[in-house]
Amino acid sequence: MRLPDFMIKNHRRHVLSDADLITKNSSPALSEALKGARTNLMYALADIDGGKCVFMTSALAAEGKTTTCINLAVSLAQTESRVLLIDSDLRRPRIHTYLNIKNKEGLANYLGGFCELEAIVNHLSDLNLDCITAGNLPPNPTELLSSKKMKSFIEFVKGKYDYILFDTPPVNIVADSLALAQLVENVIFVCKCGVSLTTEIQKALSALKFANAKVLGFITIETNRKKKKSKDYSGYYYYEES
């Protein structure tokens, strides 16, 4: 799979700061950035009936994947869509820390048979979305994410929600994202300007292609906000033709 043009040509585009989360007091630039990404995602998934599943990943760690996943879920929820945000990083979960919710029971607990589904769904009324945290870290995350119970879980939530977003570990570090790709084929790839390496991105995209994952697009993240105006932090959603 070739890299998108904006990476090959090293064009400067509008990017999204990973230091921000959407709130009622968010900057207009941040909100507009996510609206653009949201609109492109909605068009990309328009032909899918029922719940639309997407997982977000990156090549390596610390590339802004989790905050971008949360922001996109919040932006989708602002359209009055039924949105479920799932932390499927069962090794280093972080969504609960950003949203300030408990992580006592979550996806791993449910998949391991230790609790019922109702016990792990957090209803975030202020954000108008539901969230499932990762839960207790299991010894076999890859196996859980590719299990029959995970498949049944996905089919169930697809009937309850309009959009289901999964935050997953980086592709080049562990195989968890590739395991989930067998059940959720649509991917948004996150990379960070000045940090993400082209060779690592190419390696990750090749692995996703081998797993038959469909890369819907790319979101790039700004790393340095010093001496920049807020208009420089609007976002851009890049499409990778399949």
Side-chain angles (χ1 to χ4, degrees):
M1 181 182 294
R2 73 174 184 85
L3 292 178
D5 290 340
F6 81 92
M7 290 183 179
I8 297 172
K9 298 177 182 179
N10 198 28
H11 285 172
R12 279 305 303 272
R13 299 288 188 114
H14 296 300
V15 291
L16 172 69
S17 169
D18 66 337
D20 296 308
L21 290 175
I22 285 188
T23 65
K24 293 180 180 179
N25 298 319
S26 296
S27 68
L30 176 62
S31 297
E32 288 302 315
L34 271 299
K35 285 180 182 178
R38 177 188 72 196
T39 299
N40 286 332
L41 177 63
M42 293 174 77
Y43 274 114
L45 301 176
D47 292 337
I48 298 177
D49 295 327
K52 301 166 176 59
C53 294
V54 178
F55 74 87
M56 301 194 73
T57 193
S58 59
L60 299 173
E63 294 184 329
K65 167 182 57 62
T66 298
T67 51
T68 305
C69 187
I70 296 171
N71 275 331
L72 190 54
V74 173
S75 186
L76 284 166
Q78 290 174 346
T79 67
E80 301 302 320
S81 297
R82 297 169 298 168
V83 179
L84 176 62
L85 173 64
I86 302 174
D87 194 339
S88 52
D89 188 339
L90 305 185
R91 300 172 188 267
R92 191 185 176 191
R94 297 176 64 197
I95 284 180
H96 65 284
T97 61
Y98 283 113
L99 296 181
N100 194 28
I101 55 180
K102 294 181 179 180
N103 188 35
K104 184 177 180 180
E105 292 181 323
L107 181 63
N109 302 83
Y110 171 73
L111 295 177
F114 298 105
C115 64
E116 298 298 324
L117 180 57
E118 294 77 10
I120 66 172
V121 179
N122 298 276
H123 304 287
L124 308 180
S125 57
D126 55 332
L127 298 177
N128 194 36
L129 60 80
D130 287 349
C131 176
I132 294 177
T133 64
N136 299 117
L137 303 187
N140 57 339
T142 304
E143 289 76 10
L144 287 180
L145 292 174
S146 59
S147 65
K148 292 182 178 179
K149 189 164 186 177
M150 183 65 174
K151 182 178 181 180
S152 299
F153 164 76
I154 292 174
E155 290 302 317
F156 177 79
V157 296
K158 284 170 64 175
K160 298 291 184 179
Y161 296 91
D162 300 310
Y163 295 94
I164 303 98
L165 272 64
F166 297 82
D167 182 37
T168 66
V171 174
N172 293 349
I173 296 180
V174 293
D176 299 3
S177 295
L178 302 179
L180 188 59
Q182 306 303 311
L183 305 176
V184 181
E185 67 170 4
N186 298 303
V187 186
I188 295 177
F189 197 89
V190 178
C191 46
K192 180 173 285 190
C193 296
V195 175
S196 302
L197 301 176
T198 300
T199 53
E200 294 293 341
I201 294 172
Q202 289 175 323
K203 178 182 176 181
L205 292 178
S206 295
L208 289 169
K209 181 179 180 181
F210 185 78
N212 295 319
K214 180 180 180 181
V215 180
L216 298 176
F218 297 77
I219 292 180
T220 58
I221 309 297
E222 179 63 84
T223 58
N224 183 7
R225 297 187 59 177
K226 293 182 179 179
K227 298 181 180 180
K228 291 180 180 291
K229 297 180 180 179
S230 62
K231 67 180 181 181
D232 291 327
Y233 307 121
S234 58
Y236 196 88
Y237 187 81
Y238 300 90
Y239 274 106
E240 170 76 4
E241 294 183 359
S242 57

